[in-house]
Each structure stands twice: as C-alpha cells, then as structure tokens.
Amino acid sequence: MKTMQMRRGISASFCFAIWMLAGMALANSAGPLDALTAAPGEGNCTQCHSSFTLNSGSGSLTITGIPQNYVPATSYVVTISLADPQASRWGFEFTILDDLGNSVGTLTPDDGNTQVTVGGAFNRTYAKHTSVGTQFGQPNGNSWDVNWTSPAEGTGNVTLYVAGNAANANFSTTGDFIYTNNFAMAEDVASAVPGAGPLASLHPAFPNPFNPRTQLSFTLAQSQSVSLGVYDVQGRLITTVYRGDLPAGTHSYTWRGQDQHGRPQPSGLYFGRLMNSAGQDLHRPIKMTLTK
Ligand code: HEC
C-alpha cells in the first residue's frame, strides 16, 4: 500500500516536471516570444492566449513615464500598467520603434521583474516580464518599470507598442485577457542644438537581401564631405564605397559585395554607415544581408 502511494507520487511529480519543461521550452510565463506587441508586422499574444478577442476585457493597459516630446539621448523610466478585475497573473511585452520600424534607444531592465531580449523577424528589442514578474496570485493589476535611453538627435518620431496579458493564473493559455496599446512620441526639437537638425539621411539598401550587388543612397541637406562605408557585424570596415565632397541632394552608389581588394564577401549581415569627415555617423547605420 505504502509503495503504491509512493509510486503514484513519483509519477505525478515526473509529469509535473515534463509539463514545466514544456512551458519553459516555449518560454511563456517566463517571458513571451519576441514580436508579439502588435507593432507593424507583428502579431500579439492572442496567437496562443485565444479565449477572448483582443481588447475585449474590462481592464486597461496604460503607458506612463515618457513624454509626448522626448529629449534625445535622455533616460526615462517607462511604466507599463495592466489592470483587470478578473485577473490574477500578469505579463507584457513592448518595443519602441522609429518610423522605419527599427528599434531605437536603449532598453534596460529596472529590476528582476523585467528582461530585455533582441529577436523576432525584424531583430527588434523587446522588454517583457520575467517569471517572477508575473506576480502570481496578485489581484486587480500590476505594473512594470523599464529604463529607456532615447535615441540620438535626428531620429524623429518614435512609437512604443505594447501587449499585455491579464491572466487567470491557471498555468495555461486559456481564460486570459489580452490588451494592446501604443504611445507616439515626437522628437523635442526645441532642446536640440540650434540649427543642427537632421543633416543627412541614409536610405534602406535596395535590393535587400541582395546578391551580388545592392544600391546605397543618401540625401544631404547641405554640401559636405562624407564617407560611405560597409562594415561587418564585428564592426570591421569591409570597404569604403564613397569618400569625398558632395553637393546637397540625393546620391546613390553600388556595393558589389566585395572588400576594398575586390574579394567577394561571404553571406551575412552588413552595415552601411554614412559619416562626416570627422568619422561621426550622420545617420543610424542601415542593415543589409548578402545571401548566396
Ligand atoms: C506561442 C504561444 C504563446 C504566445 C504567442 C504567448 N504565450 Fe503566454 N503562454 C503560453 C503557454 C503555453 C503558457 C502556459 C505555460 C506557462 O505558464 O509557461 C503561457 C502562459 C502565460 C502566462 C501565465 C498564464 C497563467 O494563467 O498562468 C502569462 C502571464 C503569459 N503567458 C504572458 C504572455 C504574453 C504577455 C504574451 C504576448 C506578449 C504571450 N504570453 C504570448 C504560450 C504563449
């Protein structure tokens, strides 16, 4: 009799371990997958937490701590608050993107309730809950703080996209209310250096992904001396595509997927950088993928 009970005990804990592992493999209550914030191109948590339609609950998902006009290169504490009278476990994910859909600024966790990951189809940066940050069993609502350092001058408009899960703490995807929200910010131009403004913009490479060549183009607001370089993911200069003085306007150059000695480069991710004569970036680097 005693042995029977023990055996049953072992098999129950064994099943529990398998079930825990399955949950961990999906990394859900321990932090959702990337790219679920309902930002352009992304899905949201109802892909799995599908009991109720999006934003049909009686709760709310709010974003505070960031202004409608952000000051470039400044630290903010973003607070995500999720409330729902029916829920007792909580999760979220957000990303902050420029108008081209690239992550901008730097996100860092404020405490053990949040984490930051990079991934998904667009290689964006995501802030999200940790396992302990779900506050299992806590009624009414929860909030999380994440540090965001805003991007450099000239980035322009940015938008925070967030999804939240007001869950019922049943360790599954059923019975949970999913919410989404977003918050648009403009760059505070008044705080910028007078007359600085965006002096140049570097456009996305075309085609991208490419093989064997792609076109790099940029627009200068005034005539100046620039260099357009291609770098690998380690930050090494592969080749300088153009260096010299140029008038204001749009200029295009071709990169043939070769280094400065004409050697073909391997498949992979590369960065195009537009710099002034002092080697300072005039725009955020652009990404391009060589696929053979
Ligand atoms: C690919 C499917 C999938 C997606 C998409 C997904 N989850 Fe989950 N989630 C799960 C599974 C499976 C569980 C149960 C296992 C566990 O607890 O890890 C779960 C559990 C949870 C729980 C605990 C639920 C409870 O009632 O105990 C929270 C909180 C949670 N997810 C948040 C999120 C958030 C926030 C998102 C969107 C940003 C999200 N999940 C997207 C699969 C998913």
Side-chain angles (χ1 to χ4, degrees):
M1 190 60 205
K2 213 171 178 191
T3 6
M4 271 296 286
Q5 267 177 358
M6 236 170 80
R7 215 177 270 148
R8 207 179 292 147
I10 288 166
S11 83
S13 56
F14 181 69
C15 288
F16 181 75
I18 293 288
W19 174 77
M20 284 293 285
L21 277 173
M24 274 160 67
L26 285 165
N28 302 302
S29 55
L33 303 174
D34 291 322
L36 293 168
T37 69
E42 300 189 8
N44 64 69
C45 320
T46 61
Q47 277 173 18
C48 297
H49 296 268
S50 55
S51 294
F52 308 109
T53 41
L54 188 62
N55 293 316
S56 66
S58 54
S60 65
L61 174 62
T62 54
I63 304 147
T64 49
I66 38 177
Q68 272 171 351
N69 294 297
Y70 72 91
V71 180
T74 302
S75 292
Y76 295 97
V77 180
V78 182
T79 302
I80 304 296
S81 303
L82 183 56
D84 193 316
Q86 309 189 60
S88 54
R89 201 180 180 190
W90 315 90
F92 80 102
E93 179 177 285
F94 78 72
T95 190
I96 301 180
L97 307 177
D98 65 11
D99 282 348
L100 297 172
N102 297 313
S103 287
V104 287
T106 309
L107 291 171
T108 43
D110 190 60
D111 57 26
N113 294 325
T114 62
Q115 57 186 316
V116 172
T117 61
V118 179
F122 308 97
N123 217 40
R124 291 170 178 164
T125 305
Y126 298 93
K128 56 182 75 170
H129 63 264
T130 56
S131 187
V132 55
T134 61
Q135 307 300 341
F136 181 88
Q138 176 174 296
N140 301 323
N142 191 28
S143 71
W144 301 267
D145 289 343
V146 177
N147 301 305
W148 180 60
T149 303
S150 60
E153 226 173 87
T155 304
N157 297 336
V158 307
T159 306
L160 185 155
Y161 296 90
V162 62
N165 181 355
N168 62 353
N170 70 347
F171 292 94
S172 90
T173 53
T174 57
D176 304 335
F177 288 97
I178 306 300
Y179 299 92
T180 55
N181 202 350
N182 59 68
F183 188 84
M185 289 174 271
E187 182 176 338
D188 186 351
V189 281
S191 71
V193 182
L199 293 178
S201 64
L202 179 57
H203 309 301
F206 183 82
N208 183 30
F210 69 97
N211 182 28
R213 69 182 71 83
T214 188
Q215 187 168 300
L216 304 177
S217 62
F218 54 86
T219 304
L220 299 177
Q222 58 184 48
S223 74
Q224 70 186 110
S225 175
V226 298
S227 82
L228 176 65
V230 173
Y231 293 76
D232 68 12
V233 284
Q234 268 97 46
R236 285 183 299 234
L237 176 67
I238 301 297
T239 188
T240 300
V241 179
Y242 179 85
R243 187 199 303 275
D245 295 332
L246 285 172
T250 298
H251 308 277
S252 294
Y253 300 91
T254 299
W255 180 44
R256 296 177 193 286
Q258 300 169 344
D259 68 8
Q260 60 258 54
H261 307 294
R263 291 180 297 223
Q265 295 302 294
S267 295
L269 179 65
Y270 294 88
F271 295 89
R273 290 174 63 184
L274 180 67
M275 291 173 285
N276 65 15
S277 52
Q280 293 160 325
D281 283 289
L282 291 170
H283 191 269
R284 271 158 299 123
I286 55 161
K287 292 177 188 174
M288 53 202 156
T289 307
L290 174 56
T291 45
K292 293 191 172 170

